[in-house]
Amino acid sequence: MLAVLRHRTYRHLFAAQVIALVGTGLATVALGLLAYDIAGGDAGSVLGTALAIKMVAYVLIAPAIGAVADRLPRRALMVTADLTRAGVALLLPLVDQVWQVYVLIFLLQSASAAFTPAFQAVIPDVLPRERDYTQALSLSRLAYDLESLFSPALAAALLTVVTYNWLFTGTVLGFLASAALVVSVLPPKPAVTGRARPGRVHARATAGTRLFFAVPQLRALLALNLAVAAASAMVTVNSVVYVRDVLGRPAGAVPLALGAYGAGSMAVALVLPRVLERVPERAVMLRGALLLGLVFAGLGAITAAGSGSWRWPALLAVWAAFGAACSAVLTPTGRLVRRAAPAEERTAAFAAQFSLSHSCWLLTYPLAGWLGAEAGLQTAVVTLGAIATGASVGAARLWPSRRPAAVEHGHASSPRPLTTTPRMAHDR
């Protein structure tokens, strides 16, 4: 898998992604401490609102950026986003009002909503060989999982010698380093197929979304996004409740539970490049999604049990299974979007995937929290499990087992069909 790092341009872009992720992780820890300083006991409410603002920014800004991204140099767009994020992180330690936190978080996440789809659209052009691109997707998945483990540990180590405000300095340095790495390479220009994307801004902003509803595989991906969001929301929102209240474990066990989820995700990401050489994407992604229903059933058994020392290792196993199943769905997503979207609409397609997937989290995050608190964890498990299972079954019905001889994409700004990608031996 590491052989793909021999490509200098990709190596620099991947390093930029990793460094920016670490900086973001430091900011996440620092933001929690800042919220406590400003709001005290209401810090949880502040962070919950900040998370909702983050999702709203992702949902609204990514399509708008996708509407103009094809008219802008992609390197300049990514560098501008990094510099914007660095500027916002520099201002965060200076705030003393909750509304100021919300404004800066919206600006920070809006810049991320511009950077991420542009970055995702560049990589297929940097690595045109499917095998290299698949390895890059697995590395990206590993980077996200490792960041969730490494950044809190790094923050804890730094907080033994500095105050939390200095963590924001680390965030600033991370985004500046990311910008420098992006500047150091010249990504290839996107392929030109002879069809520009004229039209009004609204038409271009909705081009990626309309593409998702026009292509069967991408319609299935919408359902898969919802299944993954249901599972990951259960883990993210209710891990602390299971560990502390249901199992009575100490606070230090919470990172272990979250680490189990990350370990399951990383294990699958490591083996997927070889698996995808032999098994179609459809089989991998749908099996991963359908597994989520079984894992929710296991979680229901743990929730219903009143006692038993077996519940703690069982919870770790369930969380690891959630991570593995979600990774089986998420890791090949880039391959699916790249193949389904015409080259000139690739940025719009990745922007739509970014926006639509976070729309699912915007639904499931508060649902997992509200149901767990108001109706009980068992109700939350049943409801989110039903959502995951229903979405997975729906994806299987929406995604044809074989690609039709000719698949027509609706054009971003006109009803004329686009040139299709060649038919593959298997629908991968």
Side-chain angles (χ1 to χ4, degrees), residues 51-63 105-114 354-355 358 362:
L51 180 62
I53 289 172
K54 170 183 175 179
M55 294 300 168
V56 169
Y58 284 175
V59 170
L60 296 180
I61 300 301
I105 288 299
F106 183 80
L107 293 175
L108 178 68
Q109 303 304 338
S110 296
S112 294
F354 188 80
S355 174
H358 284 89
L362 186 58

Side-chain angles (χ1 to χ4, degrees), residues 229-428:
S232 60
M234 196 69 199
V235 173
T236 302
V237 174
N238 288 317
S239 283
V240 66
V241 181
Y242 272 100
V243 172
R244 299 290 282 146
D245 290 349
V246 176
L247 302 179
R249 309 288 296 187
V254 176
L256 293 177
L258 295 174
Y261 178 89
S265 179
M266 286 188 289
V268 170
L270 283 169
V271 302
L272 270 186
R274 292 185 178 180
V275 171
L276 288 170
E277 291 179 1
R278 303 185 301 273
V279 183
E281 290 157 3
R282 182 182 186 276
V284 172
M285 297 174 74
L286 290 180
R287 287 171 185 171
L290 292 170
L291 176 62
L292 291 173
L294 297 177
V295 181
F296 266 109
L299 181 60
I302 296 172
T303 308
S307 61
S309 59
W310 60 270
R311 293 181 301 161
W312 170 236
L315 182 72
L316 294 179
V318 164
W319 258 220
F322 270 139
C326 288
S327 185
V329 176
L330 293 174
T331 304
T333 293
R335 284 166 51 117
L336 187 62
V337 175
R338 182 183 74 159
R339 187 176 295 112
E344 72 273 16
E345 297 192 16
R346 190 171 289 157
T347 302
F350 276 106
Q353 162 62 10
F354 188 80
S355 174
L356 293 169
S357 63
H358 284 89
S359 297
C360 296
W361 273 296
L362 186 58
L363 169 67
T364 57
Y365 274 144
L367 188 61
W370 181 83
L371 285 174
E374 299 297 328
L377 285 175
Q378 192 67 274
T379 301
V381 170
V382 171
T383 303
L384 290 171
I387 291 173
T389 302
S392 301
V393 173
R397 294 177 63 86
L398 288 169
W399 193 339
S401 58
R402 295 280 181 174
R403 178 172 297 180
V407 178
E408 292 187 350
H409 303 285
H411 192 265
S413 56
S414 75
R416 295 177 298 170
L418 288 172
T419 303
T420 65
T421 50
R423 182 177 179 180
M424 308 296 291
H426 296 282
D427 182 21
R428 297 172 68 86

Side-chain angles (χ1 to χ4, degrees), residues 15-28:
Q17 179 191 27
V18 171
I19 293 172
L21 282 173
V22 172
T24 302
L26 293 178
T28 300

Side-chain angles (χ1 to χ4, degrees), residues 25-242:
L26 293 178
T28 300
V29 175
L31 184 63
L33 296 172
L34 174 64
Y36 186 80
D37 271 0
I38 295 176
D42 292 329
S45 175
V46 172
L47 291 175
T49 303
L51 180 62
I53 289 172
K54 170 183 175 179
M55 294 300 168
V56 169
Y58 284 175
V59 170
L60 296 180
I61 300 301
I65 294 298
V68 299
D70 58 338
R71 301 186 177 188
L72 301 172
R74 294 187 294 188
R75 182 172 65 169
L77 177 61
M78 290 188 289
V79 170
T80 300
D82 268 337
L83 294 178
T84 301
R85 295 192 290 184
V88 172
L90 194 63
L91 292 175
L92 276 170
L94 305 179
V95 306
D96 56 6
Q97 300 291 326
V98 170
W99 69 267
Q100 295 170 345
V101 174
Y102 295 157
V103 170
L104 291 179
I105 288 299
F106 183 80
L107 293 175
L108 178 68
Q109 303 304 338
S110 296
S112 294
F115 180 92
T116 303
F119 175 88
Q120 291 173 335
V122 164
I123 302 303
D125 293 328
V126 173
L127 302 172
R129 291 180 56 203
E130 186 161 277
R131 182 175 184 179
D132 291 339
Y133 182 55
T134 303
Q135 293 176 348
L137 291 175
S138 290
L139 281 176
S140 181
R141 183 77 253 153
L142 288 171
Y144 278 103
D145 292 330
L146 286 172
E147 181 275 325
S148 67
L149 300 175
F150 175 72
S151 291
L154 177 61
L158 290 174
L159 287 173
T160 63
V161 293
V162 298
T163 62
Y164 73 82
N165 281 338
W166 286 99
L167 297 183
F168 289 119
T169 303
T171 301
V172 173
L173 294 176
F175 288 137
L176 291 177
S178 175
L181 285 164
V182 173
V183 168
S184 69
V185 295
L186 184 61
K189 294 182 179 180
V192 178
T193 63
R195 277 213 176 120
R197 284 175 43 196
R200 290 174 296 181
V201 172
H202 177 267
R204 297 196 304 272
T206 58
T209 300
R210 286 185 283 117
L211 183 68
F212 262 71
F213 285 101
V215 180
Q217 293 91 332
L218 297 184
R219 288 200 297 269
L221 181 57
L222 291 175
L224 292 174
N225 286 333
L226 181 59
V228 167
S232 60
M234 196 69 199
V235 173
T236 302
V237 174
N238 288 317
S239 283
V240 66
V241 181
Y242 272 100

